[in-house]
């Protein structure tokens, strides 16, 4: 990079756990590794703050309250000035809504990253948009955003390189070493359709399922497992940060969502060489190629889920081919270097177009 990298403030006001929150922290770390000067603004969150501190990325925690919270936008305004930001990058709608009004002579641009089909009214200060699927980009253009002001950039994922990434012990999680094991990485929410996975597991007596996630549907899902008489084979692991270690212990990965704008976890499955089963919600159907790098099945279909799981168990050659092709697809389209380069190119082009090039 011949020109100095733009100075970026990253702003996230997300939930305690979730895919967008994971993508946010991953991108902050990746840009730091690429030498991009950053200041991160986020809600207090011990795990994310620890990651930023280990990397040496400066950050500020703010409340991101409702309309009566005047402190958050005031503090962000001060940070933009003191940091001399070129780019303010928001993640999800709440962060975009809490940005301050831009002073007339200010020389920075606001970018908003969307991982869903949000209404434009939530982005009153946004100059440029980033979407993680082509469909969301088309949605914004149809809503009135100029095509030059919205760009699709894939999420990325990578193998974990910190901590113990050896396979998680099945014994420690009451799972037989020889049992077929499926892993789901998801919030325990109705949109993730984990009820379909449990119902399918009830029809495959040997199958064990690890549900790695937290959320409001945990009690209902536990009752469902009891009702299906498979509770001893459905393991609720809580929210986990050791995705690689879990995948390496599993025989397959299932993305069962009935609503999923993207679904970064399927990329992690490709990286770790685990056969993928994905339902045809918005995100997976744009990227997963049926019988090439995953099995793409109809949403909300227990019979289709049962059939797909049995294919993975009964056909090792199919499973191996899906894994090999999935890794190749990842390397072509979803690496960290590609994602960071795409963001920096977009930032640089926008600053030049607005006469703000450094």
């Amino acid at each position: 990079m011949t020109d100095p990298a733009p100075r970026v403030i990253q702003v996230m006001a997300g939930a305690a756990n979730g895919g967008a929150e994971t993508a946010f922290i991953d991108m902050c770390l990746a840009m730091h590794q690429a030498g991009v000067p950053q200041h991160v603004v986020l809600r207090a969150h011990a795990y994310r703050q620890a990651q930023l501190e280990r990397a040496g990325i400066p950050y500020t925690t703010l409340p991101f309250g409702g309309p009566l919270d005047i402190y958050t936008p005031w503090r962000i305004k001060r940070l933009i000035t003191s940091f001399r930001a070129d780019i303010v990058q928001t993640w999800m709608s709440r962060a975009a809504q809490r940005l301050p009004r831009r002073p007339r002579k200010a020389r920075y641009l606001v970018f908003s990253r969307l991982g869903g089909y949000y209404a434009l009214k939530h982005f009153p200060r946004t100059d440029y948009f980033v979407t993680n699927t082509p469909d969301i980009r088309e949605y914004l253009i149809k809503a009135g955003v100029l095509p030059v002001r919205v760009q699709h950039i894939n999420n990325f994922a990578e193998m974990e390189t910190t901590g113990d990434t050896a396979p998680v012990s099945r014994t420690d999680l009451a799972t037989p070493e020889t049992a077929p094991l499926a892993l789901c990485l998801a919030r325990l929410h109705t949109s993730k359709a984990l009820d379909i996975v449990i119902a399918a597991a009830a029809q495959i007596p040997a199958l064990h399922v690890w549900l790695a996630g937290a959320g409001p549907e945990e009690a209902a899902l536990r009752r469902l497992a009891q009702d299906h008489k498979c509770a001893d084979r459905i393991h609720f692991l809580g929210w986990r940060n050791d995705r690689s270690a879990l995948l390496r212990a599993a025989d397959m990965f299932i993305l069962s969502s009935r609503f999923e704008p993207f679904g970064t976890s399927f990329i992690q499955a490709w990286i770790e060489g685990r056969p993928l089963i994905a339902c045809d919600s918005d995100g997976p159907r744009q990227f997963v190629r049926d019988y090439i790098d995953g099995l793409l099945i109809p949403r909300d279909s227990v019979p289709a889920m049962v059939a797909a799981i049995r294919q993975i168990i009964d056909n090792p050659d199919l499973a191996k081919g899906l894994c090999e092709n999935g890794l190749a697809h990842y390397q072509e389209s979803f690496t960290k270097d590609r994602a960071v380069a795409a963001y920096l190119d977009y930032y640089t082009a926008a600053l030049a177009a607005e006469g703000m090039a450094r």
Side-chain angles (χ1 to χ4, degrees), residues 214-263:
E217 289 298 302
E218 180 171 348
L221 292 169
R222 286 184 180 275
R223 286 194 299 271
L224 183 64
Q226 292 283 355
D227 293 343
H228 279 294
K229 298 181 170 46
C230 60
D232 59 325
R233 297 186 286 112
I234 308 298
H235 308 269
F236 291 81
L237 309 187
W239 185 263
R240 305 279 295 226
N241 294 308
D242 53 348
R243 294 168 290 176
S244 289
L246 290 170
L247 279 159
R248 291 172 187 178
D251 297 306
M252 68 192 79
F253 180 75
I254 298 175
L255 181 58
S256 56
S257 304
R258 48 179 60 99
F259 176 77
E260 189 67 70
F262 187 82

CSV table of all heavy atoms in Angstrom, one decimal, residues 214-263:
chain,number,residue,atom,x,y,z
A,214,ALA,N,-26.5,-19.7,22.8
A,214,ALA,CA,-27.4,-19.3,23.9
A,214,ALA,C,-28.5,-18.5,23.3
A,214,ALA,O,-28.4,-18.0,22.2
A,214,ALA,CB,-26.6,-18.5,25.0
A,215,GLY,N,-29.6,-18.4,24.0
A,215,GLY,CA,-30.7,-17.6,23.5
A,215,GLY,C,-32.0,-18.0,24.2
A,215,GLY,O,-32.1,-18.9,25.0
A,216,PRO,N,-33.1,-17.3,23.8
A,216,PRO,CA,-34.4,-17.3,24.5
A,216,PRO,C,-35.1,-18.7,24.3
A,216,PRO,O,-36.0,-18.9,25.0
A,216,PRO,CB,-35.2,-16.2,23.8
A,216,PRO,CG,-34.5,-16.0,22.5
A,216,PRO,CD,-33.1,-16.3,22.7
A,217,GLU,N,-34.7,-19.5,23.3
A,217,GLU,CA,-35.5,-20.7,23.1
A,217,GLU,C,-34.9,-21.9,23.8
A,217,GLU,O,-35.3,-23.1,23.5
A,217,GLU,CB,-35.5,-21.0,21.6
A,217,GLU,CG,-36.4,-20.1,20.8
A,217,GLU,CD,-37.9,-20.2,21.2
A,217,GLU,OE1,-38.4,-21.3,21.1
A,217,GLU,OE2,-38.4,-19.2,21.7
A,218,GLU,N,-33.9,-21.7,24.6
A,218,GLU,CA,-33.2,-22.9,25.3
A,218,GLU,C,-34.2,-23.8,26.0
A,218,GLU,O,-34.2,-25.0,25.8
A,218,GLU,CB,-32.1,-22.5,26.2
A,218,GLU,CG,-31.4,-23.7,26.8
A,218,GLU,CD,-30.1,-23.3,27.6
A,218,GLU,OE1,-29.7,-22.2,27.4
A,218,GLU,OE2,-29.6,-24.2,28.3
A,219,ALA,N,-35.1,-23.2,26.8
A,219,ALA,CA,-36.0,-24.0,27.6
A,219,ALA,C,-36.9,-24.8,26.7
A,219,ALA,O,-37.2,-26.0,26.9
A,219,ALA,CB,-36.8,-23.2,28.6
A,220,ALA,N,-37.4,-24.1,25.7
A,220,ALA,CA,-38.4,-24.8,24.7
A,220,ALA,C,-37.7,-25.9,24.0
A,220,ALA,O,-38.3,-27.0,23.8
A,220,ALA,CB,-38.9,-23.8,23.7
A,221,LEU,N,-36.4,-25.7,23.6
A,221,LEU,CA,-35.7,-26.8,22.9
A,221,LEU,C,-35.4,-27.9,23.8
A,221,LEU,O,-35.4,-29.1,23.3
A,221,LEU,CB,-34.4,-26.2,22.3
A,221,LEU,CG,-34.6,-25.2,21.1
A,221,LEU,CD1,-33.3,-24.5,20.8
A,221,LEU,CD2,-35.2,-25.8,19.9
A,222,ARG,N,-35.1,-27.7,25.0
A,222,ARG,CA,-34.9,-28.8,26.0
A,222,ARG,C,-36.1,-29.6,26.2
A,222,ARG,O,-36.1,-30.8,26.2
A,222,ARG,CB,-34.4,-28.2,27.3
A,222,ARG,CG,-32.9,-27.7,27.3
A,222,ARG,CD,-32.5,-27.3,28.7
A,222,ARG,NE,-31.1,-26.8,28.7
A,222,ARG,CZ,-30.0,-27.6,28.9
A,222,ARG,NH1,-30.2,-28.9,29.0
A,222,ARG,NH2,-28.8,-27.1,28.9
A,223,ARG,N,-37.3,-28.9,26.2
A,223,ARG,CA,-38.5,-29.6,26.4
A,223,ARG,C,-38.8,-30.5,25.1
A,223,ARG,O,-39.3,-31.6,25.2
A,223,ARG,CB,-39.7,-28.7,26.6
A,223,ARG,CG,-39.7,-28.1,28.0
A,223,ARG,CD,-41.1,-27.4,28.3
A,223,ARG,NE,-41.3,-26.3,27.3
A,223,ARG,CZ,-40.9,-25.0,27.5
A,223,ARG,NH1,-40.3,-24.7,28.6
A,223,ARG,NH2,-41.2,-24.1,26.7
A,224,LEU,N,-38.5,-29.9,24.0
A,224,LEU,CA,-38.7,-30.6,22.7
A,224,LEU,C,-37.8,-31.9,22.7
A,224,LEU,O,-38.3,-32.9,22.2
A,224,LEU,CB,-38.4,-29.7,21.5
A,224,LEU,CG,-38.6,-30.3,20.1
A,224,LEU,CD1,-40.1,-30.5,19.9
A,224,LEU,CD2,-38.1,-29.4,19.1
A,225,ALA,N,-36.6,-31.8,23.1
A,225,ALA,CA,-35.8,-33.0,23.1
A,225,ALA,C,-36.3,-34.0,24.1
A,225,ALA,O,-36.3,-35.2,23.8
A,225,ALA,CB,-34.3,-32.6,23.5
A,226,GLN,N,-36.9,-33.6,25.2
A,226,GLN,CA,-37.5,-34.5,26.1
A,226,GLN,C,-38.7,-35.2,25.4
A,226,GLN,O,-38.9,-36.4,25.5
A,226,GLN,CB,-37.9,-33.8,27.4
A,226,GLN,CG,-36.8,-33.3,28.3
A,226,GLN,CD,-36.2,-34.5,29.1
A,226,GLN,OE1,-36.6,-35.6,29.1
A,226,GLN,NE2,-35.1,-34.1,29.8
A,227,ASP,N,-39.5,-34.4,24.8
A,227,ASP,CA,-40.7,-34.9,24.1
A,227,ASP,C,-40.4,-35.9,23.0
A,227,ASP,O,-41.1,-36.9,22.8
A,227,ASP,CB,-41.6,-33.8,23.5
A,227,ASP,CG,-42.2,-32.8,24.5
A,227,ASP,OD1,-42.2,-33.2,25.7
A,227,ASP,OD2,-42.5,-31.7,24.2
A,228,HIS,N,-39.3,-35.7,22.4
A,228,HIS,CA,-38.9,-36.6,21.3
A,228,HIS,C,-38.0,-37.8,21.8
A,228,HIS,O,-37.6,-38.6,21.0
A,228,HIS,CB,-38.0,-35.9,20.2
A,228,HIS,CG,-38.8,-35.1,19.2
A,228,HIS,ND1,-39.7,-35.7,18.3
A,228,HIS,CD2,-39.0,-33.8,19.0
A,228,HIS,CE1,-40.3,-34.8,17.6
A,228,HIS,NE2,-39.8,-33.6,18.0
A,229,LYS,N,-37.9,-37.8,23.1
A,229,LYS,CA,-37.1,-38.9,23.8
A,229,LYS,C,-35.7,-39.1,23.3
A,229,LYS,O,-35.2,-40.2,23.1
A,229,LYS,CB,-37.9,-40.2,23.7
A,229,LYS,CG,-39.3,-40.2,24.3
A,229,LYS,CD,-40.0,-41.5,24.2
A,229,LYS,CE,-41.3,-41.6,25.0
A,229,LYS,NZ,-42.1,-40.4,24.9
A,230,CYS,N,-35.1,-37.9,23.0
A,230,CYS,CA,-33.7,-37.9,22.6
A,230,CYS,C,-32.8,-37.0,23.4
A,230,CYS,O,-31.7,-36.5,22.9
A,230,CYS,CB,-33.5,-37.7,21.1
A,230,CYS,SG,-34.2,-36.0,20.6
A,231,ALA,N,-33.3,-36.5,24.6
A,231,ALA,CA,-32.6,-35.5,25.4
A,231,ALA,C,-31.2,-35.9,25.7
A,231,ALA,O,-30.3,-35.1,25.9
A,231,ALA,CB,-33.4,-35.2,26.6
A,232,ASP,N,-31.0,-37.3,25.9
A,232,ASP,CA,-29.6,-37.7,26.2
A,232,ASP,C,-28.6,-37.6,25.1
A,232,ASP,O,-27.4,-37.7,25.3
A,232,ASP,CB,-29.7,-39.2,26.7
A,232,ASP,CG,-30.2,-40.1,25.6
A,232,ASP,OD1,-31.1,-39.7,24.8
A,232,ASP,OD2,-29.7,-41.3,25.5
A,233,ARG,N,-29.1,-37.3,23.9
A,233,ARG,CA,-28.3,-37.2,22.7
A,233,ARG,C,-28.2,-35.7,22.2
A,233,ARG,O,-27.5,-35.5,21.2
A,233,ARG,CB,-28.7,-38.1,21.6
A,233,ARG,CG,-28.7,-39.6,22.0
A,233,ARG,CD,-29.0,-40.5,20.8
A,233,ARG,NE,-30.4,-40.5,20.5
A,233,ARG,CZ,-31.0,-40.0,19.4
A,233,ARG,NH1,-30.2,-39.4,18.5
A,233,ARG,NH2,-32.3,-40.1,19.2
A,234,ILE,N,-28.9,-34.8,22.8
A,234,ILE,CA,-28.9,-33.4,22.4
A,234,ILE,C,-28.2,-32.6,23.5
A,234,ILE,O,-28.6,-32.6,24.7
A,234,ILE,CB,-30.3,-32.8,22.2
A,234,ILE,CG1,-31.1,-33.7,21.3
A,234,ILE,CG2,-30.2,-31.4,21.7
A,234,ILE,CD1,-30.6,-33.8,19.9
A,235,HIS,N,-27.0,-32.1,23.2
A,235,HIS,CA,-26.1,-31.5,24.2
A,235,HIS,C,-26.1,-30.0,24.1
A,235,HIS,O,-25.7,-29.5,23.0
A,235,HIS,CB,-24.7,-32.1,24.1
A,235,HIS,CG,-24.7,-33.6,24.1
A,235,HIS,ND1,-24.5,-34.3,25.2
A,235,HIS,CD2,-24.8,-34.5,23.0
A,235,HIS,CE1,-24.5,-35.6,24.9
A,235,HIS,NE2,-24.7,-35.7,23.6
A,236,PHE,N,-26.5,-29.3,25.1
A,236,PHE,CA,-26.6,-27.8,25.1
A,236,PHE,C,-25.3,-27.3,25.7
A,236,PHE,O,-25.0,-27.5,26.9
A,236,PHE,CB,-27.8,-27.3,25.9
A,236,PHE,CG,-29.1,-27.6,25.2
A,236,PHE,CD1,-29.7,-28.9,25.4
A,236,PHE,CD2,-29.7,-26.7,24.5
A,236,PHE,CE1,-30.9,-29.2,24.7
A,236,PHE,CE2,-31.0,-26.9,23.9
A,236,PHE,CZ,-31.5,-28.2,24.0
A,237,LEU,N,-24.4,-26.7,24.9
A,237,LEU,CA,-23.1,-26.3,25.3
A,237,LEU,C,-23.0,-24.9,25.7
A,237,LEU,O,-21.9,-24.5,26.2
A,237,LEU,CB,-22.1,-26.6,24.1
A,237,LEU,CG,-22.1,-27.9,23.4
A,237,LEU,CD1,-21.0,-28.0,22.4
A,237,LEU,CD2,-22.1,-29.1,24.4
A,238,GLY,N,-24.0,-24.1,25.6
A,238,GLY,CA,-23.9,-22.7,25.8
A,238,GLY,C,-23.1,-22.0,24.8
A,238,GLY,O,-22.7,-22.6,23.8
A,239,TRP,N,-22.9,-20.6,24.9
A,239,TRP,CA,-22.2,-19.9,23.9
A,239,TRP,C,-20.7,-20.3,24.0
A,239,TRP,O,-20.1,-20.3,25.1
A,239,TRP,CB,-22.3,-18.4,24.1
A,239,TRP,CG,-21.6,-17.6,23.0
A,239,TRP,CD1,-20.4,-17.1,23.1
A,239,TRP,CD2,-22.2,-17.4,21.7
A,239,TRP,NE1,-20.1,-16.5,21.9
A,239,TRP,CE2,-21.1,-16.6,21.0
A,239,TRP,CE3,-23.4,-17.6,21.1
A,239,TRP,CZ2,-21.3,-16.2,19.7
A,239,TRP,CZ3,-23.5,-17.2,19.8
A,239,TRP,CH2,-22.5,-16.5,19.1
A,240,ARG,N,-20.1,-20.6,22.9
A,240,ARG,CA,-18.7,-21.0,22.9
A,240,ARG,C,-17.9,-20.1,21.9
A,240,ARG,O,-18.3,-19.6,20.9
A,240,ARG,CB,-18.6,-22.5,22.3
A,240,ARG,CG,-19.5,-23.5,23.1
A,240,ARG,CD,-18.8,-23.9,24.4
A,240,ARG,NE,-17.6,-24.7,24.1
A,240,ARG,CZ,-17.3,-25.8,24.7
A,240,ARG,NH1,-18.1,-26.4,25.6
A,240,ARG,NH2,-16.1,-26.4,24.5
A,241,ASN,N,-16.6,-20.0,22.3
A,241,ASN,CA,-15.7,-19.2,21.5
A,241,ASN,C,-14.6,-20.1,20.9
A,241,ASN,O,-13.7,-19.6,20.2
A,241,ASN,CB,-15.0,-18.1,22.3
A,241,ASN,CG,-16.0,-17.1,22.8
A,241,ASN,OD1,-16.7,-16.5,22.0
A,241,ASN,ND2,-16.0,-16.8,24.1
A,242,ASP,N,-14.7,-21.4,21.1
A,242,ASP,CA,-13.8,-22.4,20.5
A,242,ASP,C,-14.4,-23.1,19.3
A,242,ASP,O,-14.5,-24.3,19.3
A,242,ASP,CB,-13.3,-23.4,21.6
A,242,ASP,CG,-14.5,-24.1,22.3
A,242,ASP,OD1,-15.6,-23.7,22.1
A,242,ASP,OD2,-14.2,-25.1,23.0
A,243,ARG,N,-14.7,-22.3,18.3
A,243,ARG,CA,-15.4,-22.9,17.1
A,243,ARG,C,-14.6,-24.0,16.4
A,243,ARG,O,-15.1,-25.0,16.1
A,243,ARG,CB,-15.8,-21.8,16.2
A,243,ARG,CG,-16.8,-20.8,16.7
A,243,ARG,CD,-16.9,-19.5,15.8
A,243,ARG,NE,-15.6,-18.8,15.9
A,243,ARG,CZ,-15.4,-17.7,15.2
A,243,ARG,NH1,-16.3,-17.3,14.3
A,243,ARG,NH2,-14.3,-17.0,15.3
A,244,SER,N,-13.3,-23.7,16.2
A,244,SER,CA,-12.5,-24.7,15.5
A,244,SER,C,-12.4,-26.0,16.3
A,244,SER,O,-12.5,-27.1,15.7
A,244,SER,CB,-11.1,-24.1,15.3
A,244,SER,OG,-11.1,-23.1,14.4
A,245,ALA,N,-12.2,-25.9,17.6
A,245,ALA,CA,-12.1,-27.1,18.4
A,245,ALA,C,-13.3,-28.0,18.4
A,245,ALA,O,-13.3,-29.2,18.3
A,245,ALA,CB,-11.7,-26.8,19.8
A,246,LEU,N,-14.5,-27.3,18.4
A,246,LEU,CA,-15.8,-28.0,18.3
A,246,LEU,C,-15.9,-28.7,17.0
A,246,LEU,O,-16.3,-29.9,16.9
A,246,LEU,CB,-16.9,-27.0,18.6
A,246,LEU,CG,-17.1,-26.5,20.0
A,246,LEU,CD1,-18.1,-25.4,20.0
A,246,LEU,CD2,-17.5,-27.6,21.0
A,247,LEU,N,-15.6,-28.0,15.9
A,247,LEU,CA,-15.8,-28.5,14.5
A,247,LEU,C,-14.8,-29.7,14.4
A,247,LEU,O,-15.2,-30.7,13.7
A,247,LEU,CB,-15.4,-27.4,13.5
A,247,LEU,CG,-16.6,-26.5,13.2
A,247,LEU,CD1,-16.1,-25.2,12.6
A,247,LEU,CD2,-17.6,-27.1,12.3
A,248,ARG,N,-13.7,-29.7,14.9
A,248,ARG,CA,-12.7,-30.8,14.7
A,248,ARG,C,-13.1,-32.0,15.4
A,248,ARG,O,-12.7,-33.1,15.1
A,248,ARG,CB,-11.3,-30.3,15.2
A,248,ARG,CG,-10.7,-29.3,14.2
A,248,ARG,CD,-9.4,-28.7,14.8
A,248,ARG,NE,-9.0,-27.5,13.9
A,248,ARG,CZ,-8.0,-26.8,14.2
A,248,ARG,NH1,-7.2,-27.0,15.2
A,248,ARG,NH2,-7.7,-25.8,13.3
A,249,ALA,N,-14.0,-31.9,16.4
A,249,ALA,CA,-14.5,-33.1,17.1
A,249,ALA,C,-15.8,-33.6,16.4
A,249,ALA,O,-16.2,-34.8,16.7
A,249,ALA,CB,-14.9,-32.7,18.5
A,250,ALA,N,-16.4,-32.9,15.5
A,250,ALA,CA,-17.7,-33.3,14.9
A,250,ALA,C,-17.5,-34.0,13.6
A,250,ALA,O,-16.5,-33.9,13.0
A,250,ALA,CB,-18.6,-32.0,14.7
A,251,ASP,N,-18.6,-34.7,13.2
A,251,ASP,CA,-18.5,-35.4,11.9
A,251,ASP,C,-19.2,-34.6,10.8
A,251,ASP,O,-19.1,-34.9,9.6
A,251,ASP,CB,-19.2,-36.8,12.1
A,251,ASP,CG,-18.5,-37.7,13.0
A,251,ASP,OD1,-17.3,-37.9,12.9
A,251,ASP,OD2,-19.2,-38.1,14.0
A,252,MET,N,-20.0,-33.6,11.2
A,252,MET,CA,-20.7,-32.8,10.2
A,252,MET,C,-21.2,-31.5,10.9
A,252,MET,O,-21.2,-31.4,12.1
A,252,MET,CB,-21.9,-33.5,9.6
A,252,MET,CG,-23.1,-33.7,10.6
A,252,MET,SD,-24.3,-34.9,10.1
A,252,MET,CE,-23.5,-36.5,10.4
A,253,PHE,N,-21.4,-30.5,10.0
A,253,PHE,CA,-21.9,-29.2,10.5
A,253,PHE,C,-23.3,-28.9,9.9
A,253,PHE,O,-23.5,-29.1,8.7
A,253,PHE,CB,-21.0,-28.1,10.2
A,253,PHE,CG,-21.4,-26.8,10.7
A,253,PHE,CD1,-21.4,-26.4,12.0
A,253,PHE,CD2,-22.0,-25.8,9.8
A,253,PHE,CE1,-21.8,-25.2,12.5
A,253,PHE,CE2,-22.5,-24.6,10.3
A,253,PHE,CZ,-22.4,-24.3,11.6
A,254,ILE,N,-24.2,-28.5,10.7
A,254,ILE,CA,-25.6,-28.2,10.2
A,254,ILE,C,-25.9,-26.7,10.4
A,254,ILE,O,-25.8,-26.2,11.6
A,254,ILE,CB,-26.6,-29.1,10.9
A,254,ILE,CG1,-26.3,-30.6,10.6
A,254,ILE,CG2,-28.0,-28.7,10.5
A,254,ILE,CD1,-27.3,-31.5,11.4
A,255,LEU,N,-26.3,-26.0,9.4
A,255,LEU,CA,-26.8,-24.7,9.4
A,255,LEU,C,-28.3,-24.8,9.1
A,255,LEU,O,-28.7,-24.8,7.9
A,255,LEU,CB,-26.1,-23.8,8.5
A,255,LEU,CG,-26.5,-22.3,8.4
A,255,LEU,CD1,-26.4,-21.7,9.8
A,255,LEU,CD2,-25.7,-21.5,7.4
A,256,SER,N,-29.2,-24.8,10.1
A,256,SER,CA,-30.6,-25.2,9.9
A,256,SER,C,-31.5,-24.0,9.7
A,256,SER,O,-32.7,-24.2,9.6
A,256,SER,CB,-31.0,-26.1,11.0
A,256,SER,OG,-30.8,-25.4,12.3
A,257,SER,N,-31.0,-22.8,9.7
A,257,SER,CA,-31.8,-21.6,9.8
A,257,SER,C,-32.9,-21.5,8.8
A,257,SER,O,-32.8,-21.8,7.6
A,257,SER,CB,-30.9,-20.3,9.6
A,257,SER,OG,-29.8,-20.3,10.5
A,258,ARG,N,-34.1,-21.1,9.3
A,258,ARG,CA,-35.2,-20.7,8.4
A,258,ARG,C,-35.1,-19.3,8.0
A,258,ARG,O,-35.7,-18.9,7.0
A,258,ARG,CB,-36.6,-21.0,9.1
A,258,ARG,CG,-36.7,-20.5,10.5
A,258,ARG,CD,-38.1,-20.8,11.1
A,258,ARG,NE,-38.4,-22.2,11.2
A,258,ARG,CZ,-38.3,-22.9,12.3
A,258,ARG,NH1,-37.9,-22.4,13.4
A,258,ARG,NH2,-38.6,-24.2,12.3
A,259,PHE,N,-34.3,-18.5,8.7
A,259,PHE,CA,-34.0,-17.1,8.2
A,259,PHE,C,-32.6,-16.9,8.5
A,259,PHE,O,-32.1,-16.9,9.7
A,259,PHE,CB,-34.9,-16.1,9.0
A,259,PHE,CG,-34.6,-14.7,8.6
A,259,PHE,CD1,-35.0,-14.1,7.4
A,259,PHE,CD2,-33.8,-13.9,9.5
A,259,PHE,CE1,-34.6,-12.8,7.1
A,259,PHE,CE2,-33.5,-12.6,9.1
A,259,PHE,CZ,-33.9,-12.1,7.9
A,260,GLU,N,-31.8,-16.6,7.5
A,260,GLU,CA,-30.3,-16.4,7.7
A,260,GLU,C,-29.8,-15.5,6.6
A,260,GLU,O,-29.6,-16.0,5.4
A,260,GLU,CB,-29.6,-17.7,7.7
A,260,GLU,CG,-28.1,-17.7,8.1
A,260,GLU,CD,-28.0,-17.3,9.5
A,260,GLU,OE1,-28.3,-18.1,10.4
A,260,GLU,OE2,-27.5,-16.1,9.7
A,261,PRO,N,-29.6,-14.2,6.8
A,261,PRO,CA,-29.1,-13.3,5.7
A,261,PRO,C,-27.8,-13.7,5.2
A,261,PRO,O,-27.5,-13.5,4.0
A,261,PRO,CB,-29.1,-11.9,6.4
A,261,PRO,CG,-30.0,-12.0,7.5
A,261,PRO,CD,-30.0,-13.4,8.0
A,262,PHE,N,-26.9,-14.3,6.1
A,262,PHE,CA,-25.6,-14.8,5.6
A,262,PHE,C,-25.3,-16.1,6.2
A,262,PHE,O,-25.5,-17.1,5.6
A,262,PHE,CB,-24.5,-13.8,5.9
A,262,PHE,CG,-23.2,-14.1,5.2
A,262,PHE,CD1,-22.9,-13.8,3.9
A,262,PHE,CD2,-22.2,-14.8,6.0
A,262,PHE,CE1,-21.7,-14.2,3.3
A,262,PHE,CE2,-21.0,-15.2,5.4
A,262,PHE,CZ,-20.7,-14.9,4.1
A,263,GLY,N,-24.8,-16.2,7.4
A,263,GLY,CA,-24.5,-17.4,8.1
A,263,GLY,C,-23.0,-17.8,8.0
A,263,GLY,O,-22.6,-18.8,7.4
